[in-house]
Amino acid sequence: MILTRNYKILNLNNRVILHGSARFLTKKYDPTVKLFGREYPTDEWTNVNKSIQDKLERKLIHQKYHPLNHLANKIKHFFYKTYINRNGNPLFTIFDNFSPVVSVEQNFDSLLTPKDHVSRSKKDCFYVNRNYLLRAHTTAHDNELIRSGLNCFLTFGDVYRRDEIDSKHYPVFHQCDGVRLFDKNELFKDKALEMDIFDKDEAGIKRTFEKQEYYTLDASKIVEYDLKNTLTKLVQFIFGNNCKLNMKWVSATFPFTHPSWELEIEYKGNWYEVLGCGILEQKILTNAGAENHIAWAFGLGLERWAMILYDIPDIRVFWSTDEGFLSQFKYDDPTHSKITKYKQVSVYPPCPCDISFWLPDKTDSYEYNSNDFYDLVREVGGDLVEQVTLIDNFENKKTKKISHCYRIIYRSMERTLSQSEVNELHKKIEAKAKEQIGVQIR
Ligand code: PHE
């Protein structure tokens, strides 16, 4: 709870943020907080609450058939197939399992975020204590990965921000960050050109809106082109080559890149920021031991992409455990090209009812097929049936008869269904299945 606050309006990454020098009423925390089996002492910075801790376990991008899992797989596939090294191996190393608990050093200092930068505020981040927080972006891993010697990598993960509450913002979301380093040989493949990454003309070296002081304009422009080209191709791959999406590059500011841009996509008449990117600050490369390189970096929000791709109107939907939502994405997608459009799930409660029957014996002219039953349910139940799934299938060894059990979920888009209404409908389905398909209700 906030006692006093002097509001200042700051513009960070094109987003207006209310920044206050606030004094917080200290909420009582236990002396330690346990995250992923490790205990952290709490202090006056601690503000990770129980509800956010519950989210740490969900791992939505690893949940098979979740739309964020489909999207992450598509992005991975794009980089694996498009960027191959001389030996035929993927150029980009992909990480998707780093712990979201990171140090203040990883999340901010290693990325040159000034000590008094708004993004560090307790108001915007979930702090475990003064030294650790739940990462606010997957960029937090860039420094270490560069230091470990990687030149091309992607990091996927859940990120945490205390934010406004609406259909587009949620305290947990998912990002994918990418980085690519180039040395002189990679950048200027045509050696005859005699070009350099670094500007040797010390006198005239200045930072401009186009480039950092260290680099030649040629080097900076080539890397900018490669970055924008990579991301444009990624957008085309994800949203389908022939879909007509309007895109625009908007110049931006981040503490860790210069120059920097955001990519905006037009969707249903509004422009949405879908990623931030830029040329990585040379100082970050130098600190990580890669001083003779130049690099681009980007970070994209998976929910934003998925909302546009699958027509999902509200970010809370991703956290739903409702089968009405999850079942819409239950498909294998070996070519990573399938795009399903989401159908709004009803806000009224579901009423599940099971039906079990022996299948009719196979004859020369008829063999039972589940689709016959599905059609019949549709015919009788209409839009009051949300879903039908085969939940049990067995054969009686003696009689050789096969039994199926289906779960029918009844749910209306307009109202709460009464149990008697559902029972009546269910009985009609039983009767019709007996009469039309010849099943024997058990
Ligand atoms: N980390 C930035 C964000 O979360 C995105 C970004 C990543 C921008 C890398 C530039 C380079 O908004």
Side-chain angles (χ1 to χ4, degrees), residues 13 137 139 161 175 177 254 256-257 276-278 297-299:
N13 309 347
H137 52 184
T139 323
R161 289 188 201 171
Q175 286 189 330
D177 264 68
F254 300 103
F256 28 92
T257 49
C277 66
F298 72 82

mmCIF file of all heavy atoms in Angstrom, residues 13 137 139 161 175 177 254 256-257 276-278 297-299, ligand 1:
data_model
loop_
_atom_site.group_PDB
_atom_site.id
_atom_site.type_symbol
_atom_site.label_atom_id
_atom_site.label_comp_id
_atom_site.label_asym_id
_atom_site.label_seq_id
_atom_site.Cartn_x
_atom_site.Cartn_y
_atom_site.Cartn_z
ATOM 1 N N ASN A 13 10.350 3.314 -23.289
ATOM 2 C CA ASN A 13 10.015 2.429 -24.413
ATOM 3 C C ASN A 13 8.647 2.791 -25.005
ATOM 4 O O ASN A 13 7.822 1.925 -25.247
ATOM 5 C CB ASN A 13 9.945 0.963 -23.998
ATOM 6 C CG ASN A 13 11.170 0.538 -23.250
ATOM 7 O OD1 ASN A 13 12.168 1.263 -23.245
ATOM 8 N ND2 ASN A 13 11.106 -0.621 -22.638
ATOM 9 N N HIS A 137 12.799 -9.292 -18.014
ATOM 10 C CA HIS A 137 12.945 -9.578 -19.442
ATOM 11 C C HIS A 137 13.968 -10.706 -19.620
ATOM 12 O O HIS A 137 14.823 -10.913 -18.763
ATOM 13 C CB HIS A 137 13.351 -8.332 -20.249
ATOM 14 C CG HIS A 137 14.549 -7.598 -19.728
ATOM 15 N ND1 HIS A 137 15.000 -6.417 -20.289
ATOM 16 C CD2 HIS A 137 15.416 -7.866 -18.717
ATOM 17 C CE1 HIS A 137 16.067 -6.006 -19.632
ATOM 18 N NE2 HIS A 137 16.344 -6.856 -18.682
ATOM 19 N N THR A 139 16.229 -10.664 -21.693
ATOM 20 C CA THR A 139 17.507 -10.025 -22.013
ATOM 21 C C THR A 139 18.494 -10.214 -20.850
ATOM 22 O O THR A 139 19.707 -10.133 -21.037
ATOM 23 C CB THR A 139 17.288 -8.505 -22.254
ATOM 24 O OG1 THR A 139 16.037 -8.322 -22.936
ATOM 25 C CG2 THR A 139 18.371 -7.898 -23.108
ATOM 26 N N ARG A 161 6.338 -8.634 -14.420
ATOM 27 C CA ARG A 161 6.303 -7.184 -14.225
ATOM 28 C C ARG A 161 5.036 -6.788 -13.513
ATOM 29 O O ARG A 161 3.952 -7.279 -13.846
ATOM 30 C CB ARG A 161 6.339 -6.454 -15.583
ATOM 31 C CG ARG A 161 7.680 -6.556 -16.237
ATOM 32 C CD ARG A 161 7.730 -5.675 -17.449
ATOM 33 N NE ARG A 161 8.793 -6.141 -18.338
ATOM 34 C CZ ARG A 161 8.995 -5.695 -19.556
ATOM 35 N NH1 ARG A 161 8.224 -4.764 -20.049
ATOM 36 N NH2 ARG A 161 9.979 -6.179 -20.283
ATOM 37 N N GLN A 175 8.657 -14.108 -23.100
ATOM 38 C CA GLN A 175 9.449 -13.407 -24.109
ATOM 39 C C GLN A 175 10.400 -14.368 -24.806
ATOM 40 O O GLN A 175 10.729 -15.440 -24.280
ATOM 41 C CB GLN A 175 10.295 -12.318 -23.456
ATOM 42 C CG GLN A 175 9.514 -11.093 -23.020
ATOM 43 C CD GLN A 175 10.419 -9.957 -22.589
ATOM 44 O OE1 GLN A 175 11.517 -10.194 -22.092
ATOM 45 N NE2 GLN A 175 9.973 -8.726 -22.774
ATOM 46 N N ASP A 177 14.182 -13.653 -26.521
ATOM 47 C CA ASP A 177 15.249 -12.713 -26.878
ATOM 48 C C ASP A 177 16.209 -13.400 -27.829
ATOM 49 O O ASP A 177 16.439 -14.610 -27.722
ATOM 50 C CB ASP A 177 16.021 -12.275 -25.625
ATOM 51 C CG ASP A 177 15.496 -10.954 -25.076
ATOM 52 O OD1 ASP A 177 14.361 -10.955 -24.586
ATOM 53 O OD2 ASP A 177 16.221 -9.941 -25.161
ATOM 54 N N PHE A 254 16.478 1.980 -25.497
ATOM 55 C CA PHE A 254 16.715 0.986 -24.451
ATOM 56 C C PHE A 254 18.107 1.265 -23.909
ATOM 57 O O PHE A 254 18.980 1.704 -24.664
ATOM 58 C CB PHE A 254 16.665 -0.437 -25.031
ATOM 59 C CG PHE A 254 15.348 -0.805 -25.660
ATOM 60 C CD1 PHE A 254 15.206 -0.805 -27.042
ATOM 61 C CD2 PHE A 254 14.250 -1.129 -24.874
ATOM 62 C CE1 PHE A 254 13.994 -1.126 -27.629
ATOM 63 C CE2 PHE A 254 13.041 -1.447 -25.450
ATOM 64 C CZ PHE A 254 12.897 -1.451 -26.838
ATOM 65 N N PHE A 256 20.338 -0.766 -23.310
ATOM 66 C CA PHE A 256 21.329 -1.731 -23.791
ATOM 67 C C PHE A 256 21.546 -1.746 -25.288
ATOM 68 O O PHE A 256 22.362 -2.515 -25.790
ATOM 69 C CB PHE A 256 20.975 -3.141 -23.301
ATOM 70 C CG PHE A 256 19.489 -3.339 -23.067
ATOM 71 C CD1 PHE A 256 18.673 -3.834 -24.070
ATOM 72 C CD2 PHE A 256 18.930 -3.006 -21.831
ATOM 73 C CE1 PHE A 256 17.310 -3.997 -23.851
ATOM 74 C CE2 PHE A 256 17.565 -3.166 -21.607
ATOM 75 C CZ PHE A 256 16.750 -3.662 -22.617
ATOM 76 N N THR A 257 20.803 -0.924 -26.044
ATOM 77 C CA THR A 257 21.022 -0.889 -27.501
ATOM 78 C C THR A 257 21.037 0.551 -28.004
ATOM 79 O O THR A 257 20.411 1.435 -27.430
ATOM 80 C CB THR A 257 19.896 -1.651 -28.247
ATOM 81 O OG1 THR A 257 18.631 -1.203 -27.744
ATOM 82 C CG2 THR A 257 20.013 -3.142 -28.088
ATOM 83 N N GLY A 276 11.056 -5.207 -29.344
ATOM 84 C CA GLY A 276 12.049 -4.145 -29.229
ATOM 85 C C GLY A 276 13.373 -4.720 -29.701
ATOM 86 O O GLY A 276 13.631 -5.917 -29.538
ATOM 87 N N CYS A 277 14.213 -3.877 -30.307
ATOM 88 C CA CYS A 277 15.484 -4.398 -30.815
ATOM 89 C C CYS A 277 16.474 -3.265 -31.033
ATOM 90 O O CYS A 277 16.118 -2.089 -30.906
ATOM 91 C CB CYS A 277 15.256 -5.147 -32.119
ATOM 92 S SG CYS A 277 14.711 -4.092 -33.478
ATOM 93 N N GLY A 278 17.694 -3.641 -31.375
ATOM 94 C CA GLY A 278 18.681 -2.613 -31.674
ATOM 95 C C GLY A 278 20.071 -3.200 -31.788
ATOM 96 O O GLY A 278 20.254 -4.423 -31.748
ATOM 97 N N ALA A 297 20.440 -7.300 -31.145
ATOM 98 C CA ALA A 297 19.673 -8.006 -30.116
ATOM 99 C C ALA A 297 18.209 -7.623 -30.280
ATOM 100 O O ALA A 297 17.894 -6.515 -30.711
ATOM 101 C CB ALA A 297 20.145 -7.594 -28.727
ATOM 102 N N PHE A 298 17.329 -8.576 -29.974
ATOM 103 C CA PHE A 298 15.900 -8.245 -29.982
ATOM 104 C C PHE A 298 15.202 -8.963 -28.834
ATOM 105 O O PHE A 298 15.739 -9.939 -28.291
ATOM 106 C CB PHE A 298 15.237 -8.622 -31.318
ATOM 107 C CG PHE A 298 15.064 -10.106 -31.529
ATOM 108 C CD1 PHE A 298 13.989 -10.787 -30.974
ATOM 109 C CD2 PHE A 298 15.980 -10.828 -32.287
ATOM 110 C CE1 PHE A 298 13.833 -12.160 -31.162
ATOM 111 C CE2 PHE A 298 15.829 -12.198 -32.478
ATOM 112 C CZ PHE A 298 14.751 -12.865 -31.921
ATOM 113 N N GLY A 299 14.034 -8.472 -28.469
ATOM 114 C CA GLY A 299 13.219 -9.159 -27.475
ATOM 115 C C GLY A 299 11.768 -9.035 -27.885
ATOM 116 O O GLY A 299 11.306 -7.933 -28.185
HETATM 117 N N1 PHE B 1 14.174 -6.239 -23.152
HETATM 118 C C1 PHE B 1 13.368 -5.336 -23.943
HETATM 119 C C2 PHE B 1 11.939 -5.351 -23.376
HETATM 120 O O1 PHE B 1 11.608 -6.206 -22.584
HETATM 121 C C3 PHE B 1 13.338 -5.726 -25.401
HETATM 122 C C4 PHE B 1 14.687 -5.641 -26.069
HETATM 123 C C5 PHE B 1 15.541 -6.729 -26.092
HETATM 124 C C6 PHE B 1 15.066 -4.467 -26.691
HETATM 125 C C7 PHE B 1 16.782 -6.638 -26.719
HETATM 126 C C8 PHE B 1 16.279 -4.362 -27.325
HETATM 127 C C9 PHE B 1 17.129 -5.447 -27.333
HETATM 128 O O2 PHE B 1 11.125 -4.523 -23.714
#
